[in-house]
Structure formats: C-alpha cells, structure tokens
Amino acid sequence: MSGPTSVSTGRASPVTLSQPAAVQSGNAGHPRRRRVPLGLFGLVGLLLVLELVPRTGLVSPAYLSPTSEIVRALAGEVGRPSFWIAVWDTVRSWAIGLVIAVVAGAAAGLTLGSIGFLRRLTASLVEFLRPIPSVSLIPLAVLLYGSDIRSKLMLIVYAAFWQVLIQVMYGAHDVDPVAADTARSFRLGRLSLLRYVTWPTVLPYFMTGVRLAASVALILAVTGELVIGAPGLGKEIAIAQSSAAIPLVYAYVVTTGLLGVLVNLGARAVERRILSWHPSVRGEVAA
C-alpha cells in the first residue's frame, strides 16, 4: 500500500489516517515527556475549577456539585456491591453487542466491498439505513423486549455495525487491482487471495472501525439503560437524578467517562499492536 490510507469516521465520508513524519531517534521521546505533565495540569485545573465554581455561587450546587463532593460520593459507591453490578451490566452488554456488530460488519463489509455487483445493488439501501439514529429505535426495542438486555443489544449492534461495515467496505474496495490480478495470475484461490491480498489492505480500515464501534457501543449501552431502564450505569444515573442526589449523579457520570477512557485506550493499544507494521503506526512516511 502506498500513500495515505482512506478511512471513514463511521457514518460520514472517508477521512485520512494521519501518517506523521519520522523523527530522529534522539528527539523522539521529548515531546511525549512534555505533553504528559501538561495533560495532568489541565486535568487538575479542570477539577479545581469544578470545585470553585459552585463554592463561589457562580453555579448553584443544585446543578453542579463541587469536585470534593463528587469524589466523596464516588468513593462511597465503590464500596457497594450494587455499584460493581451496575458496571458489570454495562460492560457485559457493551462487549456482547460490540462482538456481534464487529463480526457482522466485517463479514458484510468484505462481501459488499469485494463484489462490485452486490455493492452497487445495496448502495441505496446502505445509504438509507445508516443515517437512521439508533436512539430512534428505542420505542421499537421497548415494544419487542421491554427493559431486557436485548433492548440494549438492539441499539448497540445497530449503531456499531455501520462503523465496521463502512470501514471494511472501503478497505475491500481499495485493494490494489494490480496486486489482485498478479495473485490471480499465480492461480491463488479465493481464500488465499483474501488472506494475502485483501486482508492486509482491509486490516487498517477494520481496526479503525472497531475503535469507533467500541466508543459508539458504550454510548448506546448507557443511553439504553438511561432511557429504557435496563440494568446498568445509565439506570443508576436515572435513579440518582430522580432522588435529587446530585453528587451521586455526577459520580456515575464520571464512572461512565472513565469507562470510555479505558475503552478508547484499550482499542488504541490493540490497534497499535496489530498494526505495528503500518506506516501510520510506525511513524513512517510513504516514499
């Protein structure tokens, strides 16, 4: 593969994976060492602002709890088994829905991206279905499954599926035709062609789709719990809000944010490991 790799940000037009210029080995570590303290200072500054704003009366504590109260409420919840049960319910539905969406999206994307007739045949259908917001399916999910975990899975799978499908479809369509023709001239079978030609091209797109789908799946998991009332962190937020326990509401919101950070860091770590050979990860510029 030469040049930048085109990918999509989910339901939008494709964008380009950044390929940073190579840096000299002697200076490679310095920017990262400078960024870490600045990031910590920014976080500490934000926490300090959130502590002072309600204390000084700029915002009523009825709407924004000070950082110290949020931390105190979160510390109290961490010691309760119900807190970890809610976290597990959210993580379990996120993981199940993500796996289903990734498998289905990769299979459909490879099929549609590799077979031009099918891609043209389903183009209008894909363009019609993928812009539909997943939250608009909440009434249907409640009608079919009530507050069962299947309601959340319906929302998660629908939202995450398109992230993977579009990425993989673009990747399969981006396979170098010269490489494919060369492989066929050596009489490589369909499976060998998929393994040695198609998959190396699709893999960067696929990993980007998985990373996007992981974040979207978590958003829909919490949203489904919040609106439908399915067990999980979203339901705990709704219960705390109805009880006017403002610090507890923010404590659960912080928990969902920490989960999102962990999901993003984990997805990026897996992506860097699997794509260690790719220029966008190695920091190389294509000649």
Side-chain angles (χ1 to χ4, degrees):
M1 295 182 295
S2 61
T5 303
S6 174
V7 299
S8 164
T9 56
R11 301 188 181 187
S13 58
V15 297
T16 301
L17 271 176
S18 61
Q19 296 182 348
V23 295
Q24 296 180 0
S25 58
N27 298 326
H30 296 304
R32 178 174 298 179
R33 288 199 297 269
R34 288 196 296 267
R35 285 197 299 268
V36 171
L38 290 177
L40 291 177
F41 286 142
L43 178 60
V44 172
L46 174 62
L47 295 177
L48 182 60
V49 169
L50 293 178
E51 177 71 24
L52 294 177
V53 166
R55 298 288 186 189
T56 57
L58 293 177
V59 177
S60 172
Y63 302 103
L64 177 63
S65 298
T67 301
S68 57
E69 294 186 11
I70 297 174
V71 172
R72 190 179 302 114
L74 181 58
E77 288 299 305
V78 167
R80 298 176 56 191
S82 59
F83 172 82
W84 295 107
I85 292 174
V87 172
W88 167 247
D89 287 333
T90 298
V91 172
R92 180 182 61 168
S93 59
W94 165 81
I96 295 174
L98 180 62
V99 168
I100 296 173
V102 167
V103 173
L110 280 173
T111 302
L112 298 181
S114 302
I115 304 176
F117 171 73
L118 287 180
R119 184 173 63 253
R120 293 188 297 270
L121 182 66
T122 58
S124 298
L125 180 63
V126 170
E127 292 302 320
F128 172 74
L129 291 177
R130 71 188 180 99
I132 297 177
S134 298
V135 292
S136 66
L137 301 178
I138 289 178
L140 178 60
V142 174
L143 180 64
L144 292 176
Y145 305 115
S147 60
D148 190 75
I149 187 176
R150 291 174 293 180
S151 296
K152 288 194 294 181
L153 292 179
M154 180 177 175
L155 304 178
I156 293 169
V157 171
Y158 186 84
F161 169 80
W162 299 108
Q163 312 296 327
V164 181
L165 171 70
I166 298 302
Q167 296 287 345
V168 173
M169 191 165 62
Y170 275 118
H173 184 60
D174 197 41
V175 173
D176 188 351
V178 176
D181 291 340
T182 302
R184 293 189 187 97
S185 68
F186 283 96
R187 298 184 178 180
L188 265 68
R190 287 186 176 272
L191 291 179
S192 297
L193 184 65
L194 176 64
R195 178 181 178 183
Y196 296 110
V197 179
T198 304
W199 185 242
T201 303
V202 170
L203 188 56
Y205 294 84
F206 172 74
M207 292 308 303
T208 300
V210 171
R211 175 163 50 83
L212 295 173
S215 298
V216 169
L218 182 62
I219 294 172
L220 267 298
V222 176
T223 301
E225 295 161 357
L226 185 64
V227 178
I228 298 174
L233 290 172
K235 182 178 180 179
E236 297 301 321
I237 293 174
I239 293 174
Q241 185 272 334
S242 63
S243 303
I246 305 303
L248 191 56
V249 170
Y250 282 102
Y252 278 110
V253 170
V254 169
T255 304
T256 60
L258 292 175
L259 275 181
V261 171
L262 292 176
V263 166
N264 187 59
L265 291 177
R268 287 187 176 277
V270 172
E271 185 179 26
R272 285 194 298 267
R273 184 173 182 84
I274 293 179
L275 298 179
S276 58
W277 52 271
H278 196 267
S280 64
V281 175
R282 296 173 60 191
E284 298 176 353
V285 178

